[in-house]
Amino acid sequence: MQEKHTMPAPARHYFWNDPDKRALVFQIIVTVAILGLAFVVVENTLSNLEKRGITTGFDFLSQESGFGIIQSLVEYDETHSFGKTFIVGLLNTILVSVLGIILATVVGFLVGVGRLSNNWLVARVCGAYVEIFRNIPLLLQILFWYFAVLRTLPSPRQSLDLYDTFFLNIRGLYIPAPIFQEGAIWIGVALLLAIASVWVIKRWAEQRQLASGKTFPVFYTAAVIVIGLPLLAWFMTGQPVHWEVPALKGFNFRGGYAVIPELCALLIALTLYTASYIAENVRSGIEAVNKGQTEAAFALGLPKSRTMQLVIIPQAMRVIIPPLASQYMNLIKNSSLATAVGYPDLVAVFAGTTLNQTGQAVEIILITMSVYLLMSLLVSLLMNMFNKKMALAER
Amino acid sequence: MIVNENPVAARPAPASNRGIWGWMRQKLFSSPANTVLTVVTGWLLYIGLTPVISWSFIEADWFGSDRSACDGGACWVFITARIEQFIYGFYPEDLRWRVDLVFLQTGLLLLWLMPQSMPGKKWGVIYALSIFPISSFFLLSGGLGLEMVDTHKWGGLMLTLVLALVGIVAALPFGVLLALGRRSEMPVIRFFCTTFIEVWRGVPLITVLFMASVMLPLFVPEEVVFDKLVRALIGIVMFQSAYMAEVVRGGLQAIPRGQYEAAAAMGLGYWKMMRLVILPQALKMVIPGIVNTFIALFKDTSLVLIIGLFDLLAIVQAGLADPKWLGFAIEGYVFAGFVFWFFCFSMSRYSQSLEKRLNTGHKA
């Protein structure tokens, strides 16, 4: 017997069986829920603030701050406004971040290359460095450098010194400062001139190499011009720049630049910690370059240093740059740990002291978070641009 | 005809690269520059490490009851005399067996779940995700007939472990949801999830902790009071789930399109497709990434020091301020650093071995 197959009657088309409509409804529900949650939070916050007698708004930024800050890149004292404390903190954050990024990159690249060294001892020492500093919390490292090392240094009278020019004591690190006299501007002009001429030479050398295959020692020429021209200007204008060496006067050092111990501790810890990550990125970047590339370069007769410079590094950079960007962002964010040792960065000054003085928690935390977000975006933008420049030109 | 009557003298045998001398010639003294490098590094290591070793082992003092037991060298007495506090914080002394019981469970679970082949791993996972957290909660905080212990008495290594474990376990499901949301085809969901992830990843943890401790109480009606520890945990979980989401997203992206299409062709709906086909593969692939996130979180828990919780680092820091034990900062930090290092280093080694073991996926 044969069963008769009939197509089942098509199910009634409910609108919740349509994925598109279902997605639309779901999205509307989620939006409403999130907006509702935001509304409840704002409502609660406003009523809580009212009960505590805290006025909302950004008026506090123009009030007088009434507290001092131990390090400021711009003119600041107690009579300036809370808005100014924000600027001071932000500049201090940028200062430590920029210095940290430069130092960490240098140390990180050295250690990363060192880990791949043929020399067993050097490779092992670099490996141990990475494994030690990467696996200890940054905060602990900052506290260590500050409380266990810099705070136990001798008083100014028994300072540790290097050639009587650099001094290190419990109050900080004292380094010579340049004093610019009349005519010093010409040195700056000479430097700009030198950079411009180096650029021209580089273009000319590239074109000549493309046309004739002859190479030109651009690096050494550039080094001579960039150092030589300002030096020449310095002599010709009658040596208008002097170094002011710090000297012990009474109980403290006068003259030169004083680097506060808080900045030293933060900078050492940030550098060593971030460098251990950068070293790993550099190592894996170099290891990612196919061994055939090295062999091909050797077969062409390039010496080891030129192979590194012309073949390996340019290819490795493509792998290194994206994680490097995120390390830079981490360093900027980690600089906020400054507050643990009292370095006056954005978090310590603004989200710390200013918040305690004004009680404007919501506004201050929001401003602080947005500033960090903006800085992260800025770094990723810059690194993306750099990355594009380095990226493989596909043919 | 010119015939060379004298045979050409044999060349000297090449320098041996076998045995210890050969190895040294190859790895340490292959060229003059390398020799200089070896000698300089070795000399620096010698002058750097000798005082450190003699300070920390040879001249060190290990046991005693107060600082008079120390003369020269490292004073590990500071650590040994306070070790209980560093582990348990201010947890009442007669109740510390409860913390020990939690430690014991954690240790046994690690032994059960970490090795490659152990019987009944599935039951271990079920135990770890159900009975273990519940029993640990009641053991640590009290209730069910156990004496209550206020969370402000928690501290030391125990608090560090609680913060890290709760943080990672709670962040995982949120991270998975956020990662799915970020890859969703619904623009609104994608927008909310992407914003959430990028905002938390763009700000430092310390501002998140500040926010959790200062702003969170303002967000809720006045009657609701959060414990300080709970506030810190909320901050940590939100922050961590954003990072977790990115790790999981990496795994989701690595699943070939064919897997999605095959699952759809089988007639699986979205959630079934994710639960049965995609997530099991994606999560397995990102286990090393999850362990790395856990290492980062473990180190980051030390930041609760700044909002006034006494984790391992904070309690060591507090001990350094004790007038009876002034001047032992190096010992204190070295101890805390070693404990953190020990945990993080073993975890990173474990993650590396996992990476090798799990490397069965979609790479050709």
Side-chain angles (χ1 to χ4, degrees), chain A residues 27 48 119 134 277 333, chain B residues 34 38 188 201 218 220 299:
Chain A
Q27 292 181 66
N48 280 331
N119 190 312
R134 209 162 64 130
Y277 281 89
K333 285 185 275 171
Chain B
N34 229 345
T38 306
V188 175
R201 273 163 42 92
L218 295 173
V220 292
K299 286 186 290 176

Side-chain angles (χ1 to χ4, degrees), chain B residues 135 149 238:
Chain B
S135 69
V149 180
M238 293 220 273

Side-chain angles (χ1 to χ4, degrees), chain B residues 190-216:
Chain B
R190 206 166 52 221
F191 169 77
F192 281 125
C193 290
T194 312
T195 315
F196 184 92
I197 293 171
E198 290 305 327
V199 166
W200 291 125
R201 273 163 42 92
V203 298
L205 178 58
I206 190 167
T207 58
V208 177
L209 287 175
F210 267 137
M211 192 186 116
S213 74
V214 185
M215 273 163 80
L216 206 60

Side-chain angles (χ1 to χ4, degrees), chain A residues 279-360:
Chain A
E280 277 300 89
N281 295 338
V282 170
R283 180 181 68 106
S284 59
I286 293 177
E287 278 181 345
V289 178
N290 198 321
K291 197 162 188 310
Q293 298 283 329
T294 319
E295 288 166 352
F298 285 167
L300 285 174
L302 290 181
K304 212 175 165 197
S305 56
R306 299 288 280 174
T307 306
M308 207 60 185
Q309 185 192 341
L310 296 174
V311 180
I312 310 294
I313 300 277
Q315 298 188 67
M317 282 313 270
R318 291 186 197 127
V319 185
I320 295 172
I321 289 171
L324 200 60
S326 66
Q327 285 314 322
Y328 289 167
M329 282 190 259
N330 281 344
L331 189 142
I332 295 175
K333 285 185 275 171
N334 283 335
S335 72
S336 60
L337 295 180
T339 174
V341 288
Y343 173 75
D345 83 320
L346 182 64
V347 170
V349 169
F350 198 60
T353 319
T354 302
L355 193 154
N356 287 337
Q357 302 247 329
T358 60
Q360 309 276 39

Side-chain angles (χ1 to χ4, degrees), chain A residues 107-108 110-117 119-135 272 275-277 279-280 283 287, chain B residues 41 45 341 345 348-349 352:
Chain A
V107 178
L110 286 179
V111 175
V113 172
R115 258 196 110 168
L116 294 172
S117 164
N119 190 312
W120 181 84
L121 196 61
V122 172
R124 279 304 150 113
V125 168
C126 291
Y129 166 87
V130 169
E131 290 300 354
I132 290 173
F133 284 89
R134 209 162 64 130
N135 286 316
L272 295 180
S276 69
Y277 281 89
E280 277 300 89
R283 180 181 68 106
E287 278 181 345
Chain B
T41 316
L45 271 184
W341 179 85
F345 183 70
S348 78
R349 278 294 135 112
Q352 280 167 15

